[in-house]
Amino acid sequence: MIKKLLFCLFLLTATAVSGQSIFQSAKWIVPGFKEDTLLRPCPVYTKTIDVQKGLRSATLYITAHGLYEANINTQRVGDAYFTPGFTSYNRRLQYQQYDVKALLKKGRNAIAVTIGEGWYRGVFGGNLAHDIYGNDAGLLFQLDLTYNDGSHRSVLSDSSWQCTTGPIRYSSLYDGELYDARIQLRQPGPVAIADFRKDILVADNTPPVREKENFHPIKVWTTPKGEQVLDFGQNMAGWVRCQLEGKGGDTIRLYHAEMLDKEGNFYTGNLREAKATDTYILPGKGKGTFQPHFTWHGFRYVKVEGCKVNANDFTAVALYSDLAPAGTFSCSNPMLNQLCHNITWSFKGNSLDIPTDCPQRSERLGWTGDAQVFCRTASYLFHVDAFFSKWLQDLEADQAVNGAVPSIIPDVYEKLRKDPRAGAAGWADAAAIIPWTLYWVYGDTAVLNRQYTSMKAWVDYINSVSKDGLWTANGYGDWLAPGDSTSLPYIDQCYWANSTQLLINTAKVLGKTADVEKYSPLLQNIKSAFLKHYISPEGVAITNTQTAYILALQFDMLPDCMKKNAADRLATLVRNNNDHLATGFLGTPYLLHALSENGYTAIAYKVLNQETYPSWLYPLKMGATTIWEKWNAIKPDSTIQATSFNHYSYGAVGEWLYRVVAGIDAASPGYEKITIHPQPGGGLEWVNAGYTCPYGRIVSNWKITNGKFTMHVEIPAGTRATIMIPGKESVEVAAGTYDF
């Protein structure tokens, strides 16, 4: 219990102190000069302060419109990137707090804050809109100094600051950065005071984006087209740090790509409009170290122009939110281990402050469908409670007055409404699915209390647009399924039922009896309409696809008398497809569960172990180091399709590996009660898995030697577990270590 209490306290470490009260006297400032409309140099705000007495403490509070990098005496403040983070800027703007005492010295101290375009005012979104949230590069700054004698002083952003530009001539999330090292800070000019809102300021309480793993080139070569290319061996999101030397004015360009084409040339055909190019103009003063400031790229390969490549001068740096690791999984099948590696790296590459769909092309958006299908798998890999909780607050902030949920959060298309499918089944249902998932995994009702209004508004919205008990919406369906399409209205009805069920579950947890009584009859009406319109009396779905039966089974849409028939039909469809999947974004996460929970674990393993298209292992055979958006992103003849090669949605199979193959599952919210129920198969000889729940570490290891099954289990203090040994009766145990 102590561990769980500490775990919950972690969620509260960043108290929601009102930003308006903190920045009460500070002023929003903007450049006093006219900025360019396009390719704007990054503004740099400067101020010099005197510190004449010994300091007891120095605390900086800061936020910006755009991205900021603060320096004191040329030393960078903090190690977080892309601050203040990506939120629904019109409604929620984060600020950060830093202890900067160690950066200050007695006497004169130089402060400089550079503002990058970022999501706020740069070119962003699939339609390449400019200045989505505003066109200013605003700064709000407060440095509170407490001296040893007990006196206080605050350094505030106000008209005493100056503003100029420096070596960052432009920095775009999609196009990259131009850094001209010949340019130092230009002659500064005055700033202007702006009247921007402070009442939307909130404390940052999510893990920051940091530099993580470093990679050195595993190969440097010249392509058939004569290009110098480095291979870092891992598809990732981040940037390249390089040591460059040359004459003043020499221009070095680094181009980023995920793949090589069929002939072995550098391939950027899947980047859409993103140039993904970093440019450095050298000062001519010896070797210098260069890396971007306000951009990142999705890449494995880098093409270099303008200098002779020395592999030792280039390091790829992975960037992602600094999430604490949670689970480990390994087994006797090296390909499944590589699959786990790919799943983990796809989540790393798509967790730069928000859960995104891809990190490479001119998109990188918070698609709700991708996030909801992967959330439970993400929870096995990392502790994602704060990460998703922050994003859910933006989901509620951007939710329409009528309860409809945009397909992308933050909703960068709100002004233009380029997304006509707001309220799409399987996407907008993230409003209900993710809060319940977080509660189930971490056992904290705070997320349910916070999101309940949003969950309820979403279900009420569907009810308001339904007719005769049926919901039909213009959704995305079973996105990119390689098999026959599943009826959109069929999918709508299943997800409507699921979100309603989760709302009822939440109302029970929160003691909202009136809502339980209100929505329970609605749920029965939804299911009755589903049976009447979409299922024959024999239990046959009108849309005879794998996904149709998967959703009906997983969302409990069928009476008990029909479930076996539905499971049999699903198994038959899989067999008739040569034991291959035929599912897209919505069916794939539940496919193996629907099989293993209904007596077809052996078939589930056959599907898992397929190495030909479409399958999870086919991309591995083609050299993938992350999960692909399309099952056949590279065709068997090595032809590349213009798609994302780092897209975690299909990696949702990771949940099945932990819950079924290793057998680690929560039997009650927060793992106070644990189920250990491994289901061996698929030719696996051993599995070693661990997961750190709110109470501590759970371990489930098993192996088969000469036909003999043995299992090692560890259960943390404060919990109880039901251990189900294959072929034996289950055993109820308290905390401890057990061998069977």
Side-chain angles (χ1 to χ4, degrees), residues 307-619:
C307 70
K308 178 68 174 176
V309 169
N310 180 342
N312 295 328
D313 291 337
F314 295 85
T315 302
V317 182
L319 296 166
Y320 51 90
S321 292
D322 195 9
L323 304 168
T328 56
F329 178 96
S330 61
C331 67
S332 58
N333 185 337
M335 293 196 73
L336 292 183
N337 294 335
Q338 182 65 40
L339 174 62
C340 289
H341 171 95
N342 291 11
I343 293 170
T344 301
W345 273 94
S346 271
F347 184 60
K348 288 179 177 181
N350 283 290
S351 61
L352 279 86
D353 197 61
I354 69 165
T356 59
D357 60 330
C358 59
Q360 76 295 97
R361 63 194 182 201
S362 51
E363 189 170 5
R364 314 183 197 185
L365 300 168
W367 284 94
T368 49
D370 302 56
Q372 71 88 0
V373 300
F374 194 77
C375 181
R376 185 64 195 276
T377 294
S379 75
Y380 276 112
L381 304 177
F382 297 95
H383 294 298
V384 294
D385 42 347
F387 177 76
F388 278 107
S389 291
K390 173 252 187 182
W391 184 73
L392 284 174
Q393 292 174 64
D394 289 298
L395 183 150
E396 182 173 19
D398 283 340
Q399 194 168 2
V401 174
N402 64 2
V405 176
S407 298
I408 292 167
I409 299 297
D411 183 14
V412 298
Y413 296 138
E414 180 179 9
K415 291 182 180 178
L416 302 177
R417 188 39 59 211
K418 292 295 184 181
D419 174 14
R421 290 181 275 200
W427 271 254
D429 293 282
I433 293 171
I434 296 180
W436 182 259
T437 299
L438 295 181
Y439 165 68
W440 189 257
V441 171
Y442 300 108
D444 186 2
T445 58
V447 67
L448 297 184
N449 275 301
R450 188 171 56 246
Q451 298 300 134
Y452 186 75
T453 300
S454 170
M455 297 171 72
K456 186 175 178 179
W458 166 237
V459 172
D460 286 346
Y461 164 76
I462 305 173
N463 199 32
S464 72
V465 297
S466 64
K467 185 177 181 180
D468 299 326
L470 296 173
W471 178 36
T472 56
N474 182 25
Y476 300 94
D478 194 25
W479 187 251
L480 297 179
D484 294 335
S485 297
T486 304
S487 159
L488 284 178
Y490 182 104
I491 291 174
D492 294 340
Q493 200 75 3
C494 290
Y495 269 92
W496 183 15
N498 185 54
S499 283
T500 304
Q501 181 66 72
L502 296 179
L503 179 63
I504 293 169
N505 294 348
T506 301
K508 290 178 179 178
V509 171
L510 300 180
K512 298 181 181 293
T513 306
D515 282 346
V516 174
E517 295 174 353
K518 173 184 176 180
Y519 291 101
S520 294
L522 172 62
L523 177 60
Q524 293 309 311
N525 292 338
I526 296 169
K527 292 184 178 181
S528 296
F530 173 80
L531 292 173
K532 179 180 178 181
H533 290 84
Y534 302 129
I535 304 293
S536 73
E538 296 77 27
V540 179
I542 63 158
T543 175
N544 194 41
T545 65
Q546 292 181 17
T547 293
Y549 291 106
I550 290 166
L551 296 183
L553 289 166
Q554 290 303 109
F555 293 163
D556 196 26
M557 302 298 293
L558 304 171
D560 291 343
C561 62
M562 288 186 178
K563 290 179 180 178
K564 184 179 185 306
N565 191 28
D568 292 345
R569 288 183 175 276
L570 171 60
T572 298
L573 288 173
V574 173
R575 287 196 193 100
N576 292 344
N577 199 38
N578 296 317
D579 294 324
H580 282 70
L581 56 82
T583 51
F585 276 29
L586 299 185
T588 299
Y590 302 115
L591 169 60
L592 301 189
H593 292 284
L595 291 169
S596 61
E597 290 172 8
N598 291 281
Y600 290 105
T601 302
I603 294 180
Y605 270 109
K606 285 183 179 180
V607 175
L608 176 67
N609 285 327
Q610 292 296 336
E611 297 181 9
T612 54
Y613 164 81
S615 70
W616 283 283
L617 302 187
Y618 168 74

Side-chain angles (χ1 to χ4, degrees), residues 3 27 46 85 124 135 143 156 253 311 332 401 471 705 714 728:
K3 285 187 177 180
K27 305 292 185 183
T46 62
F124 193 67
N135 61 7
L143 174 59
L156 308 173
R253 291 185 175 88
S332 58
V401 174
W471 178 36
T705 306
E714 297 176 17
K728 303 288 184 180

Side-chain angles (χ1 to χ4, degrees), residues 663-665 667 672-678 711 713 715 719-725 729-734 740:
I664 299 175
D665 199 4
E672 185 174 11
K673 295 180 181 178
I674 300 166
T675 298
I676 303 294
H677 184 199
M711 184 164 62
V713 176
I715 305 299
T719 68
R720 295 190 62 83
T722 300
I723 302 175
M724 302 180 188
I725 308 163
E729 292 187 4
S730 61
V731 178
E732 302 290 330
V733 301
F740 302 92

